[in-house]
Amino acid sequence: MSEISSTAVSVDVQALRRRQGRFSALESGHRACLGCGQALAVRLVSESTGPDIMVANATGCLEIFTTPWPESAWRVPWFHSLFENTGAIASGMEAALKAQGRNTKVVAFAGDGGTFDIGFQALSGLLERGHNVLYVCFDNEAYMNTGIQRSSSTPHAAMTTTSPPGKARMGKRHLKKDIISIVAAHHIPYAATASVAYPSDVRKKVRRALAIEGPTFLQIHSPCPLGWGHEGDKSIEVGRLAVQSGLFPLIELERGALTGAMPLRQVRPVAEYLKAQNRFRHLFAKSEWADEELEHLQALADHNIEVYGLRGEGRDALDSEGADTIHRGGQRWA
Amino acid sequence: MIKALEGSQALAEAVALCRPQVIAAYPITPQTHIVENLAKLVANDKLQCEYVSVESEFSAASVALGAVAAGSRAYTASASQGILLMSEVLFNIAGMRIPLVMTCANRAVSAPLSIWNDQQDSMAVRDAGWIQLYCGDNQEAVDTTIQAYKIAEECELPVMVCVDGFTLTHTLEAIDIPSVEQVDLFLPPFQFSRTLTSQQPMSAGALVAPDIYSEARYSHHQALLKAAEVIERVDNEWQTATGRGYGGLVKVELNPDGETGLLVLGSATGTFYDAIVEQALDEVRLIRLRSFRPFPIAALKEACAGLKRLIVVERALSLGSGGIVTAELRAALAGSAAMPLIHSFAIGLGGRDIPISTVADLLARVEGATEPVAFEIFAIDSDKLSPEDQ
Ligand SMILES: Cc1ncc(C[n+]2csc(CCOP(=O)(O)OP(=O)(O)O)c2C)c(N)n1
Ligand code: SF4
């Protein structure tokens, strides 16, 4: 390092740049569980937003584990008001910045409970009024902060503390709400799903959303080791299986129309995904009912593959196995 | 300039004079005309601001909160069910010490459904940590709105300006609308010490442990108590600037030496004033409580000094208990050497008319009483009720 010739410098600078840690809005030392998908998702999102953002954060795990007073893990301006008003808080911030002529981008962060359920109305208002806000939902498929209760995002048949399996029940009775379609039905410029298991896809979608003046929405599948019942070091694997089975399709919608879907070259059986998590263990009890539910979930995945045309036929470049690299007509972003 | 204006229109003009950058509101009778008039001002470019037409009162309060956090003066208004829907946000705004001003166009709450005036809505959120100022007439509503921004921003506390629905909001009066210059001289440009910026990131709205929550509540409570002095000072400054003042926290409107007190909040003051003057009831001291939060104990003691009896007239009640203001007043005056006999009445609920004869009727009701009327909803006609409810 001490003797760098002038010709070598330019090369090394490039190499150094590539190795340099990207900006992250989250400092280390926060109190998320090991392997928390949501914590990782925030890092990925903020690597692409950079520091010039203002965050409106809903009540939930993320809010709690980042700001135990007097500590804060945030390196960007961050505001938490309530569980269900994040869409409106972000709207107000954006209106104020607009009135002041400031260009800082407003980003809203909320869990699936704060988005699909209790905060749904405020979100719809934000989308309808066209505020220039990127709304990110960290979808861990239950109310984790209060101890794993079902939300309308919880998948069918999953076990939570308010949808326990038993003699008369096989976990959650209802389907996972199709939030992305509902959001897209507001005809906003851009709405997409993503998964922490595909980091460069997340970054790319964030950059895409940020470039748009207007409301944009990102639903990031964020495994929760505690709530889903898997080891912390399996979060990425589990997240990837959700995508590869077709249960959680990665799609993009512009003004309500489907414009992108990540193809799956090798589709994995849903059972593989379910087996990896305790919240589905009652489905492997070898009862007739359990088998029916397994079939049902497989049918849901098949349906997604059909509707979104997920079965990849292209070259390897389109392969979701390629983990961090998803090429969809664009260049790889280092 | 003196203009003949509907209360709501005058209020909209007063708000516009304060130059809010963000307005968010959701219509509800009797507040609607205020936000309609503001929308008109914005549409005609008489007010340059972001007018956010939200989908609920819950979001109205939240948008205003987000706007102040991001560094803009903001405004919202509501009433009745809207105030109740907002209530979670109202507590949050106050706890975060956000300098926001809102109008509560006072209305009864459901059920039974009523769109008419009483003060149950603002009374229901009295513990939210907001300053609450109750206006006697529309001139005061206009002037108090402008004062409210100054108070809010100096104290970093939200202010709810309570204006009786219909009685004030829908009544045409001759009102002196202050000039732009007057307001600009009086009210400094918006400044909020905790404005969010990405140059100096700050986290707001953290979770606190039991070791600090009590202290946070203490400092919020202290801030409200200290606001009393600011409310008085700002009212004095306004008096100097315009010649109009409202007594700060409490005003003795008539007969400061009278031995029978009549204490009231809001627009009923005008009716009582006229009754006392017309009927030459020189022994009746008319006291108006302007600031309900902070509750001005010292000023009330002073205003009540020398009274033999005091009739408290409220436009709301705590069901299962009784008079809200009365309970606080009794506690405040308890133990003082010359505690008057305090009679408590709720009147004019759900828009029931308060005729000018009310004062004489109230005086007759307590005439010669040696025991206080603990609490009574005045002039109930029990014939309207089924026998088991009487
Ligand atoms: C009005 C209201 N109801 C309930 C709660 C309690 N509560 C706090 S966080 C939470 C669940 C959060 O779930 P989600 O949005 O999915 O986020 P996660 O914790 O899973 O990340 C609940 C029910 C609350 N804070 N406010
Ligand atoms: S409970 Fe789940 S979402 Fe919450 S911090 Fe732990 S892993 Fe993350």
Side-chain angles (χ1 to χ4, degrees), chain B residues 275-286:
Chain B
I276 292 167
V277 171
E278 277 174 27
Q279 293 153 36
L281 303 168
D282 298 338
E283 82 284 8
V284 179
R285 188 189 308 180
L286 181 61

Side-chain angles (χ1 to χ4, degrees), chain A residues 32-33 36 38 61 65 140 144 224-226:
Chain A
C33 308
C36 173
Q38 192 168 196
C61 270
F65 73 63
N140 57 20
M144 298 310 178
C224 163
L226 191 79

Side-chain angles (χ1 to χ4, degrees), chain A:
Chain A
M1 287 296 267
S2 54
E3 328 154 31
I4 303 171
S5 75
S6 58
T7 45
V9 167
S10 60
V11 177
D12 277 356
V13 163
Q14 291 292 323
L16 267 177
R17 275 229 175 97
R18 275 197 296 278
R19 284 190 180 80
Q20 219 166 35
R22 297 185 180 93
F23 171 81
S24 169
L26 263 197
E27 286 283 5
S28 56
H30 57 68
R31 300 175 186 192
C33 308
L34 286 177
C36 173
Q38 192 168 196
L40 176 57
V42 172
R43 294 195 69 108
L44 295 174
V45 168
S46 62
E47 278 173 12
S48 294
T49 61
D52 193 17
I53 57 170
M54 191 175 284
V55 175
N57 202 140
T59 309
C61 270
L62 176 62
E63 167 258 325
I64 294 291
F65 73 63
T66 57
T67 55
W69 193 89
E71 291 158 9
S72 169
W74 295 93
R75 300 177 62 194
V76 291
W78 179 92
F79 195 82
H80 162 247
S81 166
L82 297 169
F83 189 17
E84 65 278 33
N85 64 354
T86 314
I89 292 288
S91 300
M93 286 177 167
E94 186 260 3
L97 295 182
K98 201 165 158 192
Q100 295 165 36
R102 284 159 72 191
N103 291 322
T104 300
K105 182 84 173 192
V106 176
V107 180
F109 286 160
D112 48 281
T115 302
F116 290 54
D117 294 339
I118 200 166
F120 182 65
Q121 176 177 317
L123 166 63
S124 179
L126 173 150
L127 301 175
E128 183 264 335
R129 293 187 300 269
H131 293 277
N132 181 22
V133 171
L134 166 59
Y135 188 107
V136 184
C137 169
F138 301 106
D139 185 4
N140 57 20
E141 305 192 319
Y143 300 163
M144 298 310 178
N145 186 49
T146 37
I148 323 169
Q149 293 81 31
R150 63 87 86 183
S151 76
S152 61
S153 172
T154 303
H156 177 67
M159 166 175 65
T160 69
T161 58
T162 50
S163 62
K167 240 194 196 148
R169 290 282 186 279
M170 199 46 86
K172 188 187 171 189
R173 287 200 285 169
H174 316 100
L175 295 178
K176 181 179 170 87
K177 190 190 274 184
D178 184 5
I179 195 78
I180 196 73
S181 298
I182 299 169
V183 165
H186 289 77
H187 293 275
I188 58 170
Y190 185 70
T193 58
S195 162
V196 283
Y198 298 89
S200 74
D201 184 58
V202 173
R203 293 193 197 101
K204 190 165 161 180
K205 284 170 175 166
V206 171
R207 278 180 287 125
R208 184 90 198 273
L210 280 183
I212 292 166
E213 173 91 16
T216 51
F217 180 87
L218 208 52
Q219 176 190 357
I220 306 183
H221 206 221
S222 310
C224 163
L226 191 79
W228 295 10
H230 59 78
E231 290 303 320
D233 60 359
K234 293 279 183 280
S235 295
I236 300 300
E237 256 169 65
V238 169
R240 192 169 299 150
L241 280 169
V243 174
Q244 291 175 332
S245 62
L247 265 189
F248 195 91
L250 301 190
I251 57 173
E252 294 176 289
L253 299 119
E254 292 174 40
R255 301 257 167 232
L258 186 72
T259 53
M262 195 183 77
L264 312 171
R265 192 176 58 134
Q266 193 201 351
V267 177
R268 309 285 281 271
V270 163
E272 252 185 70
Y273 170 62
L274 306 178
K275 258 195 196 137
Q277 309 165 63
N278 265 337
R279 61 176 173 158
F280 294 111
R281 91 178 152 222
H282 52 286
L283 299 182
F284 298 95
K286 299 270 180 261
S287 73
E288 208 174 301
W289 190 7
D291 290 347
E292 256 175 46
E293 292 295 11
L294 278 177
E295 272 174 43
H296 186 177
L297 286 165
Q298 182 61 56
L300 286 173
D302 294 344
H303 174 79
N304 285 339
I305 291 170
E306 182 73 23
V307 170
Y308 296 115
L310 299 181
R311 215 171 278 278
E313 285 144 14
R315 299 170 298 122
D316 275 8
L318 295 170
D319 186 8
S320 56
E321 286 287 339
D324 196 17
T325 49
I326 297 163
H327 301 256
R328 224 181 309 90
Q331 306 87 350
R332 187 181 192 282
W333 188 73

Side-chain angles (χ1 to χ4, degrees), chain A residues 69 82, chain B residues 87-98 124-130 156-158 206-226 293:
Chain A
W69 193 89
L82 297 169
Chain B
S87 65
E88 191 192 9
V89 193
L90 296 179
F91 277 75
N92 193 248
I93 289 169
M96 296 187 85
R97 305 283 307 274
I98 293 287
V125 293
R126 66 187 181 275
D127 299 332
W130 286 57
E156 293 200 343
L157 281 171
L207 172 79
V208 302
D211 66 346
I212 194 70
Y213 186 84
S214 303
E215 283 73 12
R217 297 302 270 177
Y218 172 82
S219 78
H220 188 173
H221 177 57
Q222 289 301 313
L224 269 155
L225 297 182
K226 284 186 208 148
R293 285 291 180 273

